[in-house]
Amino acid sequence: GADVLTIGEALVSFRTDEIAPGWRASAHVAGAESNVAIGLARLGHAARWVGRVSDDALGRWVLATLAGEGVDVADAVADRRSAGAMVLESPADHARRATYLRRGSAGAALTAADVLAALPGARRVHLTGVTPALSETARAAWLGLGRAAHGAGVPVSFDVNHRPALWDAAAASEALRELVPHTDLLIASEDELELVATGDEADAVASLLDAGVGTVVVKRGERGASAFTASGRVDVPAQRVPVVDVIGAGDALCAGLLSGLLDGLDLAPALERGVAVASACVASPGDWEGLPTRADLGL
Ligand code: CKP
Ligand code: MG
């Protein structure tokens, strides 16, 4: 069985300096959940990714790339719709300079039946807030898998990953809060907390813990990350690295954190591994290309 099952849309990402007359781009595979799966595979874990990919050369290239990184894609579904894509100008500035071409894509056609079939045997499930923004069926797949996993005692991690280009904050908040009762480990950046809970950071974290979330991780960018549980708090500073490309850093943190938990580490050293993997991601170009192996981390 898989150590981690994750679901979502893998995108064709076109990177370019600037969309200007005569622009050229290079094509990469992207997608928050597939980034996490690659990060886990590089750290030696069995990662299974399920999503719909276009039934054409692009979809086959996406699957071959993930499989080449050691991700189990046997349960991925081919769909006659087009591949989802994004065009990224100047990678250091993801939030403002990503243009999505993913409405009605193959990835957005994901269904609950696609993903529930992959759950048996999984040790953990990892979900992000990108998937429910894609379509009603993807939202049902996301919530249905979280509910089924949590109900079966399989720990669910949830990276809030708000994408303002896909939906507005009110719609996102309503949908994202539905997964909270089924979440064991919630990961949010400081500015994403308000989407899933009310009040300042302390109040928001307390209400999430009250709602049954076992661990809340707050990401603070170059100031590191904190993890909160009923029994206390740990703070891990970021490593000082040259900032080459911050895209994928959140996914990298999730991969390292989940890796540590799968290895049986306590929360503090697991979060330290998450921050180390995120630092390696930030210091190298690409959403996941620079993610470290165990040897790179000295493990
Ligand atoms: O939050 P992160 O920077 O770790 O996520 C990056 C990914 O899936 C990136 O690969 C992109 O394709 C996306 O987030 C997205 O849908 O924006
Ligand atoms: Mg993120």
Side-chain angles (χ1 to χ4, degrees), residues 159 161 163 192 219 250-251:
D159 177 352
N161 251 356
R163 293 291 180 267
E192 286 172 337
K219 298 177 293 177
D251 307 325

Side-chain angles (χ1 to χ4, degrees), residues 11 30-32 35 86 94 100 102 130 161 163 247-251 287:
L11 294 168
N35 294 342
M86 66 188 281
H94 177 214
Y100 290 126
R102 66 195 304 183
V130 178
N161 251 356
R163 293 291 180 267
I247 300 174
D251 307 325
D287 300 27

